[in-house]
Amino acid sequence: MSRQVVTRFAPSPTGMLHIGGVRTALFCWLYARRHGGRFILRIEDTDLSRSTDDNIRIIEEGMAWCGLDWDEGPVAGDPSAWAGAHGPYRQMQRMDLYRAKIQELLDKGLAYRCRCDRETLDARRKTVEAAGKVFQYNRGLDAGRGCAESHHDASQPAAVRFRMPETGDIVVADLIKGDTRFPADSLDDWIIARTGDGPGVIGVPTYNFCVVVDDTHMEVTHVIRGDDHLNNTPKQIPLFEAFGYELPAFAHVPMILGADGAKLSKRHGATSITEYQAMGLLPSAVRLALARLSWTPKIDGKAVESAEEELLTDAQMIQLFDLDDCQKSAARFDMDKLQWINQKLIQRSSWQELEPHLRPFLPAAWEEKPDAWKAQAIQATQKGKSLTDMAEALRFAFERPASFDEKAVEKFMTPAVLPALREVRELTDYSHDGLEAAFTAILERHSLKTKDLAQALRVALCGRPVSPGIYDTLMLVGRDEVATRLERWL
């Protein structure tokens, strides 16, 4: 390819950042990284009634948490700043460019002013539909009577419509779906700018117009987006051509369904990316699980099959990602599979890799602990399915139990074990080897099994008979605190 690959993720800040959008952003990111190109984040905020700064913040934070770093785009947290040569990257800050391009189309006769209000359009729609035809603006029975032939000047407020071709087919050559043909006579002359505030004023441009101008101005080579945008593409292609712009390559990614084949909803699991973060999932697990939706990576020409092969690193995904390996049909999202991937990645990660992700779920006292203690705490709880599981498993290390499992107390805190607990209280060597040697001797002296003493200690120290390995539990609580917690039982 002669040009550098440039992809973009262009969300509308009208709500949460959902997993469908994150999957699209991930594919754009992977493709750009695979080809040594640029990945752009662009905020499409022309829906003035629903776009908010708070939603933009959620998008920026969600993308950052997912690890999808952008080469060009807004500077997170600063609405007036951006990084990149083609900014600004919020569409409402690009109005001057859009209006200049609309005026260019008006001057060439490729667009025209339309003063039709809703009532007028509704009446004409009824007339056309009464004749058994589908209403399309300035087509069919309406041809020759619309604003395109009325030569309206700029003396009254008006919307602006793009003059679409009337014959032939518009072909969308798609890298995933193949060619899709749209008859030109089935498409409206669509509005590229809403009605302005006064005579001659070009109003806020519409999404489909801004996308074409931005993708060209930002040198986007590959438009990778959800297949709900496929029907927008035949509107956009003639606009690219009207400006004399080179068409980007299009790749429309299939939608995501629930595991049962139904439209994805809350009952299939969390759908907002912030919910996955709150659930204690690793960003790497989310990236991998979403990448596998509609994409089947191939190693040496063979699709990955085994569980071990599925656990790809980011570097492997970047190396292997190819739009040719994306399926056309809808993908099924499986929450259980995501949680399985998460658990496997937790188990495979070093404590240093896990620590920054685990930190937000732990109390402030975590920050004061030495690295050796943190390493032991993480390694002792790495069997957890999530970061929240790990944090819950470490709660005993930061706070004394407020209550005790009554059945466990009755079962394990027996008169036979109390003398052994007194000896544990007096121990001073809290190295792993020291504790193991002391336990062996204590158990032998009191004719106890390891389980008898370990479970009694867990109840006394944690309030329940569940904790990491007993030596880890003692070491994480610490000698002085162990002695204090045992006092109430002795």
Side-chain angles (χ1 to χ4, degrees):
M1 176 173 292
S2 58
R3 291 194 294 164
Q4 181 189 42
V5 166
V6 180
T7 65
R8 50 74 164 174
F9 176 53
S12 175
T14 56
M16 296 289 113
L17 179 61
H18 293 281
I19 61 170
V22 176
R23 194 270 304 265
T24 299
L26 174 64
F27 279 18
C28 294
W29 182 83
L30 286 171
Y31 195 79
R33 295 291 176 261
R34 164 77 188 274
H35 293 280
R38 290 183 286 122
F39 171 56
I40 297 172
L41 174 63
R42 185 174 75 222
I43 305 298
E44 299 189 340
D45 56 350
T46 56
D47 186 342
L48 301 181
S49 64
R50 299 171 61 209
S51 298
T52 68
D53 284 343
D54 192 48
N55 287 337
I56 293 174
R57 176 187 57 79
I58 290 171
I59 289 170
E60 293 170 344
E61 291 178 355
M63 291 281 287
W65 177 78
C66 287
L68 302 180
D69 55 313
W70 53 93
D71 303 300
E72 295 183 31
V75 173
D78 188 345
S80 63
W82 64 83
H86 304 94
Y89 295 88
R90 292 190 183 190
Q91 286 187 331
M92 287 306 296
Q93 296 174 348
R94 299 171 63 81
M95 289 295 112
D96 289 346
L97 172 62
Y98 302 144
R99 290 186 171 115
K101 289 296 181 181
I102 289 171
Q103 188 61 54
E104 179 182 324
L105 293 175
L106 288 169
D107 293 343
K108 292 179 179 179
L110 299 174
Y112 56 91
R113 299 180 186 276
C114 172
R115 294 192 300 229
C116 298
D117 55 27
R118 184 180 298 275
E119 291 74 18
T120 300
L121 292 174
D122 285 344
R124 288 156 72 181
R125 180 178 289 107
K126 290 178 181 178
T127 301
V128 172
E129 291 176 349
K133 297 188 177 183
V134 176
F135 175 76
Q136 293 159 309
Y137 188 84
N138 220 40
R139 303 293 169 87
L141 292 180
D142 191 47
R145 298 209 308 269
C147 293
E149 306 302 327
S150 299
H151 307 293
H152 292 317
D153 58 26
S155 62
Q156 294 183 10
V160 179
R161 290 183 183 268
F162 177 63
R163 193 189 297 270
M164 289 284 286
E166 297 184 6
T167 59
D169 289 344
I170 298 170
V171 180
V172 179
D174 193 277
L175 296 176
I176 294 175
K177 295 183 175 295
D179 289 356
T180 305
R181 308 182 81 87
F182 296 83
D185 61 9
S186 68
L187 300 168
D188 290 283
D189 286 356
W190 52 282
I191 292 177
I192 59 176
R194 301 171 180 89
T195 301
D197 295 332
V201 176
I202 296 174
V204 176
T206 57
Y207 161 80
N208 279 307
F209 178 83
C210 298
V211 163
V212 171
V213 174
D214 288 343
D215 284 344
T216 302
H217 185 252
M218 295 178 185
E219 302 175 346
V220 172
T221 62
H222 290 75
V223 173
I224 303 170
R225 56 189 178 191
D227 62 5
D228 53 325
H229 289 281
L230 179 61
N231 288 336
N232 290 327
T233 312
K235 293 182 177 181
Q236 296 168 3
I237 288 175
L239 187 57
F240 277 106
E241 294 170 344
F243 282 125
Y245 294 161
E246 182 177 351
L247 284 180
F250 293 101
H252 289 90
V253 182
M255 67 185 300
I256 302 174
L257 302 176
D260 57 1
K263 185 177 179 180
L264 194 66
S265 65
K266 295 287 276 186
R267 67 186 176 88
H268 297 107
T271 54
S272 170
I273 201 65
T274 55
E275 293 180 54
Y276 291 121
Q277 183 178 5
M279 289 168 61
L281 298 178
L282 290 171
S284 56
V286 173
R287 287 195 298 272
L288 179 55
L290 293 183
R292 294 306 314 278
L293 297 178
S294 301
W295 173 52
T296 303
K298 293 178 181 177
I299 298 176
D300 296 330
K302 296 182 179 180
V304 298
E305 294 180 354
S306 70
E308 288 302 307
E309 285 181 329
E310 280 192 302
L311 297 174
L312 301 171
T313 64
D314 282 345
Q316 289 173 313
M317 286 197 291
I318 290 170
Q319 179 185 5
L320 298 173
F321 187 77
D322 194 327
L323 291 170
D324 288 341
D325 297 328
C326 293
Q327 65 193 44
K328 300 178 182 179
S329 57
R332 297 198 179 196
F333 172 73
D334 188 340
M335 191 68 188
D336 292 337
K337 181 67 174 289
L338 171 55
Q339 291 173 329
W340 176 83
I341 291 173
N342 193 64
Q343 184 174 21
K344 289 296 183 182
L345 293 185
I346 285 176
Q347 293 170 356
R348 288 185 168 202
S349 300
S350 68
W351 78 267
Q352 294 96 331
E353 291 170 324
L354 290 175
E355 195 277 334
H357 300 294
L358 180 62
R359 189 188 309 150
F361 297 96
L362 294 168
W366 172 266
E367 301 283 1
E368 302 169 6
K369 300 292 186 180
D371 283 352
W373 190 95
K374 291 179 179 178
Q376 183 176 12
I378 290 174
Q379 291 161 357
T381 56
Q382 259 180 287
K383 292 182 179 179
K385 293 182 179 181
S386 67
L387 299 171
T388 50
D389 284 351
M390 293 176 67
E392 175 61 23
L394 285 172
R395 187 153 53 93
F396 73 90
F398 298 98
E399 57 186 69
R400 295 171 184 171
S403 60
F404 296 86
D405 183 325
E406 293 181 4
K407 291 183 178 180
V409 170
E410 183 179 354
K411 182 177 181 180
F412 298 114
M413 302 302 287
T414 63
V417 82
L418 294 182
L421 293 180
R422 291 191 182 93
E423 291 196 37
V424 171
R425 181 185 59 182
E426 304 304 322
L427 295 178
T428 56
D429 184 352
Y430 263 57
S431 67
H432 188 281
D433 290 344
L435 287 172
E436 186 175 18
F439 258 60
T440 300
I442 292 171
L443 293 173
E444 185 175 342
R445 279 195 294 273
H446 298 282
S447 300
L448 295 172
K449 296 179 180 179
T450 300
K451 179 182 178 181
D452 298 329
L453 181 55
Q455 293 299 78
L457 279 168
R458 286 189 172 98
V459 172
L461 300 177
C462 309
R464 56 182 185 171
V466 179
S467 78
I470 193 59
Y471 304 142
D472 285 321
T473 299
L474 289 164
M475 294 166 73
L476 292 172
V477 172
R479 182 174 62 84
D480 293 342
E481 181 64 18
V482 166
T484 299
R485 294 188 191 186
L486 287 176
E487 278 299 319
R488 69 169 291 154
W489 303 99
L490 304 176

